[in-house]
Amino acid sequence: MQVVATAGHHGHGKSALVRALTGMEPEEPGAWTELPSGRRLAFVDVPGDARSVPAMLAGAGAVPAVLFAVAADEGWMPQSQEHLDALAALGVRAGVLAVTRSDVADPKLALRQARDRLAGTALRGVEAVAVSTVTGDGLDELAAALDRLAGRLPEPDPAAPVRLWLDHAFTAGRQSVVTGTLAAGTIAVGDELLLMPAGRRVRVRTIGSTGEPRESATGVSRVVLTLRDAGRVGAGMALVTPDRWSLTTCVDVRTRFGEASGRLARRMTLHIGAAAVPVRLRPLGPDTARLTLNARLALHIGDTGLLRDPDRRAIAGVSVLDVRPPTLVRRDAGAARARELATWPDRPDGALVLRRHGVLRASELDLMGCAPPDGAVALDGGWLADPAHWEALHGRLAEEAACRWRRRGCGSGCPRGISSPRSSARRCAWTAAA
């Protein structure tokens, strides 16, 4: 199964499309359809009015593709642009454009407007279909376009760690029912998951998907889970595989699509998955910043999200560069960190992360979402060392050993050239410790 979110201006027929394609009410968490090829496609229907942008971001944040609706009789509208900006910032690169209400107006003008707006984004060139949910014209063509879209979307790793962002949740007595889009990994009945940011371990009692009970579900799919004795559960929380994610309140990020980091507000809201977390922003470089979160999130390096200032309606996409950033206490530490991050890609790999830390456990790399790099020096106890760092340590050890045998002093012949260790501030580490 694949999952798409709807997007577009309020009243442009998003919910009507879902209703026509699935025969279900869009607000049902399991709204889905069987496509001509036999593939199944589920929908996350998001609101389109200006006040519901956070709900739109929560619905679209965990899905890989979008069904974008533009009405033929109204064309491109303010929330059309706001939704497009949000999708661009979130990194959504696949979708289908539906020109709705083609029975009441010629769809050509609206199609041309939409094409012009999409031209400068990752959604340029997406397949477009004119459709009417009243007459049924174009619905078969839309289903076929969605089928082709679903066939192009990558299949996620079923063995990946689970992170299920919850977009709906309610509790009755000791039982909680939650809904979300499982992007990758596998959930099975009886699994123990960590509820974040609460940090409580909960057990999965039942799983539902496409309106049927399941023993397990794999990504990508819309799932409904029941949990017992989970305590307070709400939309925006996440269920994650224990001991497979970094649980952090501080990250370094790269900002993209939007204003330079220095022009962004110092207090914003981070939207990632279905979560909306207030953050304090410290600019580092022109496109890098440090975010201090007011709640712990389960994150990996390379995660993408969106920063939003509700007052100015300013947004910026972000990609997580470091989930364990160094403290910045020296006066020039921020500038030095900015120079370092400027050389990093948007998704640092295990080799770069290990190079920065020098020595790490393999399990720590896994928590950060990085695979152990080829060529890493394997040490006892599951430790890994960066080859250059390990070689430097060997050189330092030889140097210190040479100083050690100079009878508590580093007289002539010292590899560091120190002649008076007791009076010099440059005395070697062994002499200082002696």
Side-chain angles (χ1 to χ4, degrees):
M1 177 187 284
Q2 291 288 354
V3 181
V4 301
T6 62
H9 190 77
H10 178 66
H12 277 203
K14 301 183 296 297
S15 299
L17 286 175
V18 174
R19 192 177 294 111
L21 288 166
T22 67
M24 306 177 189
E25 288 304 312
E27 60 270 14
E28 294 182 31
W32 64 280
T33 188
E34 186 170 300
L35 299 169
S37 67
R39 297 186 185 94
R40 291 183 173 188
L41 183 69
F43 295 88
V44 181
D45 189 40
V46 305
D49 60 278
R51 294 171 298 177
S52 300
V53 171
M56 176 266 172
L57 295 172
V63 300
V66 63
L67 173 58
F68 205 109
V70 178
D73 57 336
E74 292 189 358
W76 199 261
M77 295 291 281
Q79 267 61 64
S80 305
Q81 188 62 46
E82 192 162 12
H83 282 201
L84 179 60
D85 291 345
L87 292 167
L90 289 170
V92 177
R93 309 179 64 86
V96 170
L97 172 64
V99 182
T100 60
R101 302 214 291 258
S102 62
D103 57 312
V104 298
D106 189 333
K108 293 180 182 177
L109 177 59
L111 176 59
R112 186 161 58 249
Q113 286 180 331
R115 285 288 193 207
D116 289 344
R117 298 287 184 159
L118 296 176
T121 75
L123 293 175
R124 62 186 177 276
V126 297
E127 194 168 351
V129 180
V131 62
S132 167
T133 56
V134 175
T135 65
D137 291 341
L139 284 176
D140 290 342
E141 291 81 357
L142 179 59
L146 290 169
D147 202 354
R148 289 187 286 272
L149 169 67
R152 294 192 299 270
L153 294 175
E155 291 293 333
D157 181 5
V162 166
R163 181 175 58 184
L164 179 70
W165 296 105
L166 309 182
D167 47 49
H168 293 86
F170 71 89
T171 300
R174 298 173 61 186
Q175 182 168 283
S176 300
V177 180
V178 301
T179 303
T181 300
L182 179 61
T186 302
I187 298 178
V189 172
D191 280 356
E192 186 178 67
L193 300 174
L194 192 65
L195 179 66
M196 293 298 297
R200 293 190 297 272
R201 294 195 176 225
V202 299
R203 197 167 297 278
V204 178
R205 295 193 64 211
T206 66
I207 301 173
S209 184
T210 64
E212 300 174 357
R214 309 269 181 178
E215 286 299 310
S216 65
T218 59
V220 176
S221 59
R222 289 288 287 171
V223 296
V224 181
L225 310 181
T226 59
L227 315 170
R228 189 170 180 83
D229 296 329
R232 189 189 69 82
V233 182
M237 302 179 84
L239 289 168
V240 304
T241 304
D243 305 319
R244 295 295 304 276
W245 298 86
S246 291
L247 310 181
T248 181
T249 59
C250 184
V251 293
D252 284 349
V253 300
R254 172 159 289 124
T255 58
R256 51 188 170 77
F257 183 86
E259 302 181 51
S261 64
R263 298 184 62 187
L264 294 171
R266 296 302 180 262
R267 295 191 179 274
M268 301 187 76
T269 300
L270 173 65
H271 295 269
I272 186 164
V277 179
V279 302
R280 187 171 68 253
L281 181 145
R282 173 179 175 175
L284 296 174
D287 66 345
T288 53
R290 174 157 297 183
L291 304 182
T292 302
L293 322 179
N294 82 337
R296 284 190 308 165
L297 291 181
L299 298 177
H300 277 167
I301 288 173
D303 280 339
T304 58
L306 181 149
L307 285 173
R308 181 171 183 262
D309 180 355
D311 296 330
R312 297 170 52 208
R313 292 194 180 180
I315 64 171
V318 296
S319 54
V320 176
L321 299 177
D322 199 343
V323 292
R324 284 178 50 184
T327 57
L328 303 177
V329 293
R330 299 191 316 272
R331 176 175 296 182
D332 61 343
R337 181 61 170 164
R339 290 192 296 271
E340 179 185 20
L341 294 178
T343 66
W344 289 18
D346 286 349
R347 188 180 181 88
D349 60 10
L352 191 151
V353 173
L354 186 59
R355 192 178 312 131
R356 183 179 85 75
H357 289 272
V359 179
L360 283 173
R361 291 186 185 273
S363 58
E364 293 179 284
L365 280 173
D366 186 58
L367 288 175
M368 299 182 205
C370 299
D374 295 335
V377 180
L379 309 174
D380 292 342
W383 290 90
L384 299 174
D386 173 65
H389 180 72
W390 192 244
E391 184 177 350
L393 287 178
H394 273 279
R396 181 180 172 186
L397 178 62
E399 186 177 323
E400 300 291 352
C403 286
R404 167 67 178 84
W405 296 107
R406 294 293 174 184
R407 297 202 248 152
R408 298 191 53 138
C410 296
S412 61
C414 173
R416 294 188 180 180
I418 301 172
S419 58
S420 179
R422 291 189 180 277
S423 61
S424 173
R426 295 175 56 235
R427 62 181 181 269
C428 71
W430 178 84
T431 305

